[in-house]
Amino acid sequence: MGTVEPQVAASSDAEQRAQLDGFQLVIEALKLNGLDTIYGLPGIPITDLTRRAQAAGLRVLSFRHEQNAGYAASIAGFLTQRPGICLTVSAPGFLNGLNALAHATVNCFPMILISGSSEREIVDLQQGDYEEMDQLAIAKPVAKAAFRVLHAEDIGVGVARAIRAAVSGRPGGVYLDMPAKLFAQSIDSSLGKNSLIKVVDPAPKQIPAPEAVKRALDLLKSAKKPLIILGKGAAYAQADAEIKALVEETGIPYLPMSMAKGLLPDTHEQCASAARSFVLPAADVVMLIGARLNWLLSHGKGKTWGGKGAKDWGGQKFVQIDISPQEADSNVRIDAPLVGDIGSCVSSLLNEMKSGWTKPPADWVNAINEKKNGNVAKMAETLAKNPSPMNFHSALNVVRDIVRANPEAMFVNEGANALDFTRSIVDMYRPRKRIDVGTWGIMGVGMGYCVAAAVCTKQQVIAVEGDSAFGFSGMEVETICRYNLPVCIVIMNNNGVYKGTDKDPTGRDPAPTVFVKDARYDKLMEAFGGVGVHATTPAELRKAMEEAIRSKKPTLINAAIDETAGTESGRITSLNPTAGKKK
Ligand code: ADP
Ligand code: TPW
Ligand code: MG
């Protein structure tokens, strides 16, 4: 007996050495494709995956709630053009991550949600497994693509397909289902290594057709009042130099959508942001670059665009540059669709322009400048006031200065008034610095975005958060402290959703929109060893922000804002069915 045992042990050792298990194959497949960061939350069946990934040199960022890990992964995708990886446990963890997967798809961010799942045989017979759920079926409607891997030798293909689906064409969220049994499967190591795929050219260039380029340019040339709108697709494309050249060489005024701010500095002489309500109805030809004509642009029609009624066309002609061939005509007629990747499309336009280009008529440019100057002067007056208590404007005047002095800092923003005022007051100076609530106007992206922004860019992060908005992901201040990230959170604390003044007419409870009065969110940060500051004046806010940036310590500044200062739903009051009854 004594002589047999060691022999058995030796042979199984050798066998093990020559084997790769599912855990390792997933890790190797990610590494092979340069995916070196996982945003997730451990538990059955992926705990060992998080451990072994960390041991293998991947960065594994562990969150307090999967939704925040998912948002982090989605924005990592936006910032890096590589799919952000979110890793969750089965059913409830998967569902917590699913919101972020949908968000990624809606916003055209590349992301892969990898979730462990329960035993297929039991799930499919609905026999009641631990965390039983048919996750693949549930993910499909909100994902750009969804795959399940059942055999270790298919992990390479599964990961490769997920990567291609996430980043090629219009980017989006991809679900990858990995049943618990997969991780423990072992296969011959050389077979395993051979099964892995390093994806070649995952997001191939899409060159626009020459006739489409010519059509677009002919239309632009016919314009008397042309306008360019830059969307977050333009920011994502990382074609910054080409876009700058196109804007400057055409001389056409431009409007950046929220996350396209800073693609050119907001202070650029052609930036028409401060004259938005003048240029949209007045423009005759509009070129959309990576921006959809969705609700954020009033669907390209109605009063915003100079139409007589809410749904009437304003008379504009549109050029639309987009990688999705199905985007054109989704709301109004697109006279010149230009399908391709933005880098290639803009380069083609610049090339074609060499045959001759005339800058837009001076009276159009002058009229915009006049409006701009008037509005900027009015805003400067408002910002210079120093009311007590502090309001959004006097607080944001400080944030505006701090961002101007730190143009490389990443800027996260969510809330209603805390979003809308910030977007219009705080100028951005560099591409892909501003990340916010995106296409859905979603609350809860804040702290996940802060973590990913710090991790992906290694820059200082500044977050301006409504007090309600912050609550959706507030527990992740522990995560920010744990990884000691240079994040400075400013909470615009007006005691509630939109404002803090509502009352329950029956007098029983607090109104649905209000929170504990004068709450001290700064104490939350202190609980985990970060710096908490309570600021009641712009001077205190300025001092605290400067110190946060100097020290790079996790900091939360509770900026006490006049609770009467906000408006219902911020700038989108018109979308609120009962808004008419409110003041
Ligand atoms: P915004 O909210 O800023 O207006 P949207 O999210 O509505 O922007 O629009 C982004 C658009 O950009 C989408 O229609 C998407 O297909 C497109 N897009 C994303 N990446 C690229 C790219 N690399 N090249 C061309 N179009 C792109
Ligand atoms: C996931 C609805 C839109 S804005 C907002 C809510 C709850 C909060 C506004 O209050 P906040 O900002 O952040 O304090 P301020 O400055 O106006 O006081 N759930 C989700 N997403 C959205 N958009 C909502 C609810 C909403
Ligand atoms: Mg609020």
Side-chain angles (χ1 to χ4, degrees):
M1 286 290 284
T3 53
V4 173
E5 265 178 8
Q7 267 184 344
V8 171
S11 91
S12 81
D13 261 7
E15 225 169 69
Q16 268 178 357
R17 251 181 274 125
Q19 298 269 305
L20 278 174
D21 67 8
F23 288 117
Q24 201 60 34
L25 286 163
V26 173
I27 292 164
E28 297 299 334
L30 295 176
K31 274 175 83 170
L32 186 63
N33 286 288
L35 301 174
D36 56 7
T37 308
I38 294 174
Y39 303 89
L41 203 159
I44 295 172
I46 50 98
T47 314
D48 259 358
L49 186 57
T50 62
R51 285 200 189 101
R52 287 177 57 179
Q54 189 170 55
L58 273 78
R59 191 107 200 253
V60 181
L61 294 141
S62 197
F63 284 70
R64 305 303 295 262
H65 189 294
E66 291 87 350
Q67 181 170 296
N68 305 318
Y71 288 145
S74 75
I75 208 66
F78 169 77
L79 293 171
T80 64
Q81 293 184 323
R82 287 178 176 198
I85 305 294
C86 176
L87 180 64
T88 79
V89 303
S90 26
F94 157 78
L95 285 173
N96 283 345
L98 198 60
N99 200 332
L101 186 73
H103 170 78
T105 305
V106 164
N107 283 275
C108 318
F109 299 158
M111 163 183 173
I112 301 173
L113 173 67
I114 302 178
S115 294
S117 58
S118 308
E119 199 162 326
R120 284 259 36 94
E121 290 81 351
I122 301 181
V123 172
D124 288 347
L125 274 172
Q126 298 180 25
Q127 294 176 306
D129 203 2
Y130 167 71
E131 298 192 345
E132 172 183 303
M133 175 172 273
D134 188 0
Q135 295 169 198
L136 186 69
I138 288 165
K140 267 185 186 160
V142 299
K144 186 182 168 194
F147 307 103
R148 176 185 292 133
V149 183
L150 290 176
H151 302 290
E153 59 265 35
D154 294 331
I155 286 173
V157 170
V159 170
R161 298 212 73 191
I163 292 171
R164 279 200 190 279
V167 296
S168 63
R170 171 183 279 178
V174 176
Y175 177 59
L176 196 52
D177 193 76
M178 297 201 164
K181 270 188 180 173
L182 177 73
F183 298 115
Q185 281 177 34
S186 284
I187 56 172
D188 177 81
S189 98
S190 64
L191 191 77
K193 282 196 182 116
N194 277 333
S195 71
L196 300 181
I197 296 174
K198 185 168 165 55
V199 179
V200 176
D201 196 13
K205 274 190 183 173
Q206 296 191 20
I207 314 290
E211 58 273 23
V213 176
K214 190 167 179 308
R215 191 188 299 122
L217 219 52
D218 286 347
L219 182 54
L220 275 181
K221 281 181 184 164
S222 74
K224 300 272 180 299
K225 298 174 172 181
L227 177 69
I228 291 174
I229 297 182
L230 300 173
K232 61 178 168 306
Y236 173 78
Q238 300 195 15
D240 308 337
E242 292 91 333
I243 289 169
K244 180 170 187 283
L246 183 74
V247 169
E248 291 182 344
E249 286 178 32
T250 58
I252 297 176
Y254 74 94
L255 273 183
M257 298 300 287
S258 196
M259 280 175 57
K261 276 166 70 78
L263 215 40
L264 290 91
D266 282 338
T267 47
H268 195 283
E269 57 175 4
Q270 285 168 257
C271 180
S273 290
R276 189 179 197 269
S277 56
F278 171 72
V279 291
L280 287 180
D284 60 355
V285 176
V286 179
M287 177 157 66
L288 302 156
I289 308 183
R292 287 169 285 187
L293 277 177
N294 56 15
W295 70 281
L296 287 159
L297 283 169
S298 306
H299 307 283
K301 57 196 169 196
K303 294 198 171 144
T304 309
W305 292 88
K308 284 205 183 70
K311 293 205 164 175
D312 292 334
W313 179 49
Q316 287 82 7
K317 301 211 162 197
F318 289 96
V319 177
Q320 183 160 33
I321 303 183
D322 206 289
I323 202 153
S324 165
Q326 297 176 50
E327 186 53 38
D329 305 329
S330 54
N331 283 280
V332 294
R333 178 169 54 238
I334 302 297
D335 295 275
L338 193 49
V339 175
D341 69 279
I342 285 166
S344 301
C345 290
V346 171
S347 300
S348 302
L349 285 170
L350 282 165
N351 247 335
E352 183 71 21
M353 275 170 60
K354 287 189 186 134
S355 58
W357 178 260
T358 314
K359 296 224 164 167
D363 52 353
W364 172 233
V365 174
N366 293 340
I368 296 172
N369 282 338
E370 206 173 299
K371 280 278 166 208
K372 245 173 86 169
N373 294 340
N375 288 340
V376 168
K378 251 189 266 168
M379 180 58 92
E381 240 175 68
T382 315
L383 292 179
K385 289 183 188 147
N386 190 2
S388 178
M390 182 156 66
N391 64 8
F392 285 101
H393 291 87
S394 60
L396 288 170
N397 187 41
V398 172
V399 177
R400 174 185 158 102
D401 288 348
I402 301 280
V403 171
R404 189 193 296 125
N406 298 280
E408 289 303 330
M410 289 299 301
F411 193 80
V412 175
N413 191 198
E414 61 176 339
N417 295 280
L419 176 89
D420 293 336
F421 285 127
T422 306
R423 188 178 52 237
S424 59
I425 292 170
V426 177
D427 289 328
M428 305 309 299
Y429 301 89
R430 305 265 197 277
R432 289 172 298 285
K433 294 298 179 188
R434 190 189 151 85
I435 49 182
D436 65 27
V437 299
T439 304
W440 265 345
I442 203 165
M443 297 298 115
V445 291
M447 297 306 103
Y449 275 18
C450 284
V451 172
V455 166
C456 294
T457 71
K458 312 248 184 310
Q459 299 288 341
Q460 173 70 43
V461 180
I462 299 170
V464 172
E465 299 270 316
D467 53 330
S468 164
F470 173 73
F472 288 74
S473 65
M475 194 64 208
E476 303 296 346
V477 294
E478 188 277 332
T479 311
I480 289 167
C481 288
R482 188 166 12 108
Y483 295 105
N484 194 24
L485 301 173
V487 176
C488 171
I489 305 155
V490 179
I491 299 201
M492 296 282 166
N493 189 356
N494 62 352
N495 294 341
V497 176
Y498 312 136
K499 46 165 69 181
T501 49
D502 266 10
K503 295 266 183 293
D504 173 359
T506 72
R508 182 174 59 186
D509 279 329
T513 54
V514 307
F515 299 142
V516 166
K517 294 269 179 234
D518 307 321
R520 293 288 302 272
Y521 294 97
D522 47 314
K523 305 269 187 199
L524 217 73
M525 184 57 111
E526 286 175 354
F528 305 108
V531 177
V533 180
H534 180 56
T536 58
T537 64
E540 286 169 5
L541 175 59
R542 187 181 301 272
K543 184 163 167 277
M545 287 189 81
E546 283 173 351
E547 179 54 22
I549 288 168
R550 196 200 57 73
S551 73
K552 299 203 165 298
K553 284 189 188 147
T555 301
L556 192 156
I557 306 165
N558 184 54
I561 301 291
D562 182 355
E563 66 171 10
T564 67
T567 57
E568 175 105 359
S569 306
R571 292 266 167 88
I572 53 173
T573 309
S574 61
L575 299 180
N576 191 5
T578 60
K581 294 187 206 134
K582 306 251 168 148
K583 278 199 217 93

